[in-house]
Amino acid sequence: MLTRRGFASCALCALTGFAATSVEAEGPAPAGIKREILKRMDGPTSDYETIIAAAEIAPGFTVPRHIHPGIESAYIAEGGGLFTVDGEDAREIRAGDVAQVPPRRPHMLKNGDKPTRIISTYILEKGQPLSIPA
Protein backbone atom coordinates (compact mmCIF):
# COMPACT_ATOMS: atom_id res chain seq x y z
CA MET A 1 0.00 0.00 0.00
CA LEU A 2 1.02 3.57 -0.50
CA THR A 3 2.35 5.31 2.56
CA ARG A 4 0.58 8.37 3.91
CA ARG A 5 3.42 10.39 2.51
CA GLY A 6 1.53 10.17 -0.75
CA PHE A 7 2.22 9.38 -4.31
CA ALA A 8 4.37 11.68 -6.29
CA SER A 9 2.95 12.29 -9.55
CA CYS A 10 5.58 13.07 -12.02
CA ALA A 11 9.24 14.14 -12.24
CA LEU A 12 10.86 15.40 -15.36
CA CYS A 13 11.38 18.16 -17.61
CA ALA A 14 12.64 21.54 -17.94
CA LEU A 15 10.55 21.81 -21.04
CA THR A 16 8.07 23.75 -19.01
CA GLY A 17 8.97 27.25 -17.96
CA PHE A 18 7.44 26.73 -14.55
CA ALA A 19 9.36 27.49 -11.39
CA ALA A 20 9.44 24.55 -9.03
CA THR A 21 7.85 24.87 -5.61
CA SER A 22 8.78 23.02 -2.46
CA VAL A 23 8.36 19.26 -2.65
CA GLU A 24 8.15 19.13 1.13
CA ALA A 25 4.77 20.83 0.93
CA GLU A 26 3.37 17.47 -0.22
CA GLY A 27 5.64 15.36 2.00
CA PRO A 28 8.48 13.19 0.79
CA ALA A 29 7.86 10.77 -2.05
CA PRO A 30 8.10 7.04 -1.41
CA ALA A 31 11.40 5.35 -2.23
CA GLY A 32 11.44 4.64 -5.95
CA ILE A 33 9.85 7.95 -6.96
CA LYS A 34 11.48 11.34 -7.41
CA ARG A 35 9.00 14.13 -7.74
CA GLU A 36 8.74 17.83 -8.18
CA ILE A 37 5.72 20.10 -7.93
CA LEU A 38 6.30 22.45 -10.85
CA LYS A 39 3.36 24.80 -10.40
CA ARG A 40 0.35 25.19 -8.11
CA MET A 41 -2.47 27.52 -9.18
CA ASP A 42 -5.97 28.40 -8.00
CA GLY A 43 -8.82 27.27 -10.23
CA PRO A 44 -10.49 26.40 -12.49
CA THR A 45 -13.13 27.38 -9.89
CA SER A 46 -12.78 28.71 -6.35
CA ASP A 47 -13.09 25.24 -4.78
CA TYR A 48 -10.34 23.62 -6.93
CA GLU A 49 -6.63 24.02 -7.56
CA THR A 50 -4.47 22.91 -10.45
CA ILE A 51 -1.11 21.25 -9.79
CA ILE A 52 1.45 20.48 -12.48
CA ALA A 53 4.00 17.93 -11.34
CA ALA A 54 6.82 15.80 -12.70
CA ALA A 55 7.93 12.36 -11.48
CA GLU A 56 10.61 9.83 -12.24
CA ILE A 57 9.80 6.26 -11.28
CA ALA A 58 12.69 3.87 -10.70
CA PRO A 59 13.09 0.78 -12.89
CA GLY A 60 10.98 -2.13 -11.62
CA PHE A 61 9.24 -0.01 -8.95
CA THR A 62 5.51 -0.48 -8.40
CA VAL A 63 3.56 2.64 -7.51
CA PRO A 64 0.90 1.21 -5.15
CA ARG A 65 -2.85 1.73 -5.60
CA HIS A 66 -3.90 5.26 -4.74
CA ILE A 67 -6.49 7.90 -5.63
CA HIS A 68 -6.49 11.63 -6.22
CA PRO A 69 -9.33 13.90 -5.00
CA GLY A 70 -9.71 15.19 -8.55
CA ILE A 71 -8.76 14.35 -12.12
CA GLU A 72 -5.22 13.44 -13.23
CA SER A 73 -4.09 13.90 -16.83
CA ALA A 74 -0.63 12.46 -17.51
CA TYR A 75 1.88 12.49 -20.35
CA ILE A 76 4.45 9.68 -20.41
CA ALA A 77 7.66 11.43 -21.44
CA GLU A 78 9.99 8.44 -21.15
CA GLY A 79 9.84 4.76 -20.19
CA GLY A 80 6.59 2.98 -19.41
CA GLY A 81 5.01 0.07 -17.66
CA LEU A 82 1.76 -1.70 -16.84
CA PHE A 83 -0.91 0.84 -15.88
CA THR A 84 -3.98 -0.37 -14.01
CA VAL A 85 -7.09 1.72 -13.32
CA ASP A 86 -10.00 0.14 -11.44
CA GLY A 87 -12.87 -0.62 -13.81
CA GLU A 88 -10.61 -0.72 -16.90
CA ASP A 89 -8.39 -3.36 -18.47
CA ALA A 90 -4.71 -3.05 -17.47
CA ARG A 91 -2.66 -1.64 -20.32
CA GLU A 92 0.93 -0.99 -21.27
CA ILE A 93 1.84 2.67 -21.41
CA ARG A 94 4.91 3.96 -23.25
CA ALA A 95 6.68 7.22 -24.01
CA GLY A 96 4.35 9.48 -25.95
CA ASP A 97 1.17 8.00 -24.44
CA VAL A 98 -1.31 9.98 -22.38
CA ALA A 99 -3.57 8.75 -19.62
CA GLN A 100 -6.41 10.24 -17.66
CA VAL A 101 -7.70 9.01 -14.32
CA PRO A 102 -11.16 10.06 -13.08
CA PRO A 103 -11.45 11.56 -9.59
CA ARG A 104 -11.10 9.07 -6.72
CA ARG A 105 -10.53 6.11 -9.07
CA PRO A 106 -7.89 3.72 -7.65
CA HIS A 107 -4.93 3.16 -9.97
CA MET A 108 -1.32 1.92 -9.95
CA LEU A 109 1.71 1.52 -12.18
CA LYS A 110 4.19 -1.36 -12.35
CA ASN A 111 7.20 0.25 -13.97
CA GLY A 112 9.25 -1.47 -16.64
CA ASP A 113 13.02 -2.00 -16.65
CA LYS A 114 13.91 1.66 -17.36
CA PRO A 115 13.10 4.88 -15.49
CA THR A 116 9.70 6.31 -16.37
CA ARG A 117 9.24 10.06 -16.50
CA ILE A 118 5.73 11.47 -16.32
CA ILE A 119 4.29 14.99 -16.40
CA SER A 120 0.86 15.25 -14.79
CA THR A 121 -1.75 17.93 -14.39
CA TYR A 122 -4.10 17.49 -11.45
CA ILE A 123 -7.30 19.43 -10.90
CA LEU A 124 -8.01 18.72 -7.25
CA GLU A 125 -10.45 19.75 -4.57
CA LYS A 126 -8.81 22.57 -2.61
CA GLY A 127 -7.38 21.57 0.74
CA GLN A 128 -7.11 17.89 -0.18
CA PRO A 129 -3.84 15.94 -0.38
CA LEU A 130 -2.36 15.22 -3.79
CA SER A 131 -2.73 11.47 -3.24
CA ILE A 132 -4.53 9.10 -0.88
CA PRO A 133 -3.78 5.36 -0.42
CA ALA A 134 -6.48 3.10 -1.85
Side-chain angles (χ1 to χ4, degrees), residues 3-62:
T3 67
R4 294 223 179 256
R5 294 178 184 151
F7 164 71
S9 80
C10 312
L12 177 240
C13 274
L15 10 132
T16 62
F18 300 115
T21 58
S22 172
V23 173
E24 287 72 40
E26 293 296 330
I33 302 174
K34 295 179 196 172
R35 72 164 171 202
E36 183 175 10
I37 304 298
L38 301 172
K39 183 74 173 178
R40 182 184 296 266
M41 303 163 272
D42 287 335
T45 63
S46 62
D47 51 341
Y48 282 86
E49 68 178 329
T50 298
I51 298 171
I52 300 171
E56 181 176 324
I57 303 164
F61 184 76
T62 297

Side-chain angles (χ1 to χ4, degrees), residues 75-100:
Y75 171 72
I76 313 311
E78 184 178 318
L82 184 64
F83 184 56
T84 305
V85 178
D86 281 15
E88 299 177 14
D89 291 335
R91 69 183 193 271
E92 288 290 327
I93 56 172
R94 295 178 182 83
D97 288 346
V98 294
Q100 193 169 67

